Amino acid sequence: MTDQVISGTDLSRLRELNSLTVVRALRDQPPATVTELAKLTGLSRPAVDVIAQGLVTGGWATVVEPSGSSVVGRPARRYRFRATAGHVIGVDVGAHKILTLLADLDGNVVHTARCTVAADADPPSRLAALDAVLATCLSEAGKTEQDIWAVTIGVTGPVDASGKTTLFTPLPGWQTVDLAAHLSDRFTCPIVVENDCKLAALAERWQGAARDANDIVFLLAGLRIGAGLIIDGVLRRGYGGAAGEIGALKAVRWLTAPSHLGQCPGVPATVSPDDAAAWVFNAARDGNRDARSAVNRYVKDLAIGTAALVLALDPQVVVFGGGFSRSADLVLDPLRRELGRLCLRLPDVRASTLGADSVALGALRLALNEVDQRLFTLGLSAPVAPRR
Amino acid sequence: MTDQVISGTDLSRLRELNSLTVVRALRDQPPATVTELAKLTGLSRPAVDVIAQGLVTGGWATVVEPSGSSVVGRPARRYRFRATAGHVIGVDVGAHKILTLLADLDGNVVHTARCTVAADADPPSRLAALDAVLATCLSEAGKTEQDIWAVTIGVTGPVDASGKTTLFTPLPGWQTVDLAAHLSDRFTCPIVVENDCKLAALAERWQGAARDANDIVFLLAGLRIGAGLIIDGVLRRGYGGAAGEIGALKAVRWLTAPSHLGQCPGVPATVSPDDAAAWVFNAARDGNRDARSAVNRYVKDLAIGTAALVLALDPQVVVFGGGFSRSADLVLDPLRRELGRLCLRLPDVRASTLGADSVALGALRLALNEVDQRLFTLGLSAPVAPRR
């Protein structure tokens, strides 16, 4: 009777769905037995048994044979997601450095490569440095471009749908750079370009200071201040990719905030403008009165833009990240005080735990999301690098 | 062979899922034939036939018998969602008025009732007025409390998870009012209290100026300015229900913007403070120089807070709503100019098309969402008012 409402197409769709359900369960778990997977997925034990064997044959899972002996019969074999079936790359193309992380499908970083770049490097020089560090990273990791399933690159400035930063970028000449097109000469897999603040926000929720939160305002604080917004658990890009750019509004004071540090009296002439802020934070920590006052003025201005975001979005957590987060010990308490004064509800204010690696780590996370999204919407085929 | 992977539980879950799929398809469509529903849902024709008959028996659908004759055989019968199976109520409890809308499950308003309230009315008086207008609305519509499936009330100020406005409210004494508890004496169905700006934003996306958009900044502009935010198609409340309250930040000028109108030279002493803005807008329209200058100052301040939201969220559309939207003809162009100057990407700036009814309409929409959510997560039972 009941079988009459189930067509053959419905059945095949259900089986595909069930396979994906098991892959997803494996992806989020330590190695699991068929019984455990059945409980996790709500599928029957025999169904999971058939599916798991198929996933091993297909290259998506490996068998973990039981070790040692058991007093209560033969212990069950376990299945594990085969994280080394593919790899992803996350890159941070910054003003001063390029950082490349190569990871397996579980996000375990298997190799890191970095290089410095001059802040005034033109696009060809910066792209050449990127190409060189990617080549180094791949060869040192014993991989080729064909082993990579997704690449994500973080850049500064709002990134549009084509991966360009035409609205604004502090990198010289970068408005005209088509990074995805440049990289598509060597990689056949999906390539995503994303704003650095947004990626760092993703990283803090993945492995950093905001793992418990779904509503996060992330501040990338350095010589410039930017923001990345996670709302209801999802990174928000905005309609044109320019969400988080509140710092462009003079009234919220982020444009001038860092200058309080650079213009602090007493910074030695030998300290470069790029290092002045670090000098001031250290001097403030040592009790230098001018430096303490400069930090106070910095925090007061930082708090205006932050309060605007807090009042607009009412987040659970504000994460203070970026280069200046090394001096979070001087910033967090006065920032909380200012926000308490300016906001209706004070969120939890925390320091980044990922520091300078957050952008590249967030790029890895986005690359893994790209892999998962193809896996769970386009379905299972053999585990090989997807093509654009 | 293939049947082995399908358990009885899986089958029954699939049938329930298929029924919900058909209800959802009916809910969004004009009356549809079994063939059309099969195409819409991806289910087989025989499966849809069985499900549709079950929905009619259960009271969720009605049959629309084919009218007239056809040259190519007997025309197929159509099924229609039974929108009158239940009703919902949406209420706007404002400073000066209470507006109640009663609608069927398709959102068709079947009755409207309203009353005026003094701005300085204390909570018992305002609640008594609410009770009276609800009673009038129900009795004039020929309904009782038991016919109502969900009630949503809009109030001003951020609303916390318990439906209270403890952080801030301009309604005298309203911090201590527990509106949901008050109404639960008469209604057994779910009762939701929500912020007025958020509801008005929902209404503009449902039936108003932003039907085509998923990323919307809605401005409720009157003697106070508030905002409601829809991001990726979903109304955002924030972690503590206080999203959109950027107007509380002095630096973005919304606190002072309306005072430019109230303090305009030349407003006759006979005009009440509540009506001064309307007088100024009219005078500006007539070419009065002081009034035009006051409107300009108003728009410049309005634009600062709006730019902060636009830069933070990069919306597709900004909707200028609330009482002042009657004067959108004077506001929209200068607002666009200011935003163009302040923002990286200028969104589409539009006037509300719902005006003063937007809050109550948004309350209806939220009540319908509540009904749908129960329907599609808790499953189908008989069509009767759900209990909390």
Side-chain angles (χ1 to χ4, degrees), chain B residues 47-208:
Chain B
V48 171
D49 204 23
V50 170
I51 290 168
Q53 289 173 39
L55 292 174
V56 171
T57 313
W60 285 106
T62 52
V63 174
V64 185
E65 290 297 348
S67 64
S69 58
S70 165
V71 287
V72 280
R74 195 169 62 90
R77 52 165 41 178
R78 293 175 175 274
Y79 292 90
R80 173 206 299 276
F81 179 74
R82 202 174 141 250
T84 54
H87 289 81
V88 297
I89 287 179
V91 187
D92 175 7
V93 175
H96 300 273
K97 68 145 194 252
I98 297 175
L99 170 61
T100 304
L101 304 177
L102 191 152
D104 68 19
L105 296 184
D106 276 349
N108 302 306
V109 175
V110 296
H111 200 74
T112 301
R114 73 178 77 215
C115 69
T116 56
V117 202
D120 60 355
D122 61 8
S125 320
R126 204 175 293 270
L127 288 172
L130 171 63
D131 290 342
V133 76
L134 278 170
T136 305
C137 189
L138 282 167
S139 77
E140 287 180 356
K143 303 285 171 199
T144 70
E145 282 81 355
Q146 281 68 46
D147 297 320
I148 304 304
W149 288 24
V151 177
T152 297
I153 327 268
V155 296
T156 181
V159 174
D160 66 19
S162 71
K164 294 196 213 161
T165 49
T166 46
L167 284 177
F168 170 78
T169 170
L171 299 183
W174 204 256
Q175 287 89 342
T176 59
V177 172
D178 187 342
L179 199 44
H182 176 80
L183 289 175
S184 69
D185 289 347
R186 38 198 308 187
F187 292 97
T188 51
C189 66
I191 298 164
V192 176
V193 184
E194 184 52 282
N195 168 263
D196 52 0
C197 305
K198 295 186 179 70
L199 294 175
L202 272 185
E204 293 293 344
R205 181 158 185 268
W206 182 32
Q207 302 193 336

Side-chain angles (χ1 to χ4, degrees), chain A residues 2 6 11 14-15 47 167 229 231-232 236 238-245 249 309 311-314 316 344-345, chain B residues 2 5-6 11 14-15 47 167 229 231-232 236 238-245 249 309 311-314 316 344-345:
Chain A
T2 54
I6 307 282
L11 260 184
L14 189 67
R15 272 200 310 276
L167 284 177
L229 310 174
I231 303 171
D232 289 333
R236 304 297 166 172
Y239 184 68
E245 298 292 330
L249 186 69
L309 290 174
L311 284 163
L313 299 170
D314 190 20
Q316 179 186 356
L344 292 177
R345 205 187 62 73
Chain B
T2 54
V5 299
I6 307 281
L11 260 183
L14 189 67
R15 273 201 308 277
L167 284 177
L229 310 174
I231 303 171
D232 289 334
R236 304 298 166 172
Y239 184 68
E245 298 291 330
L249 186 69
L309 290 174
L311 284 163
L313 299 170
D314 189 21
Q316 178 185 357
L344 292 176
R345 206 186 61 74

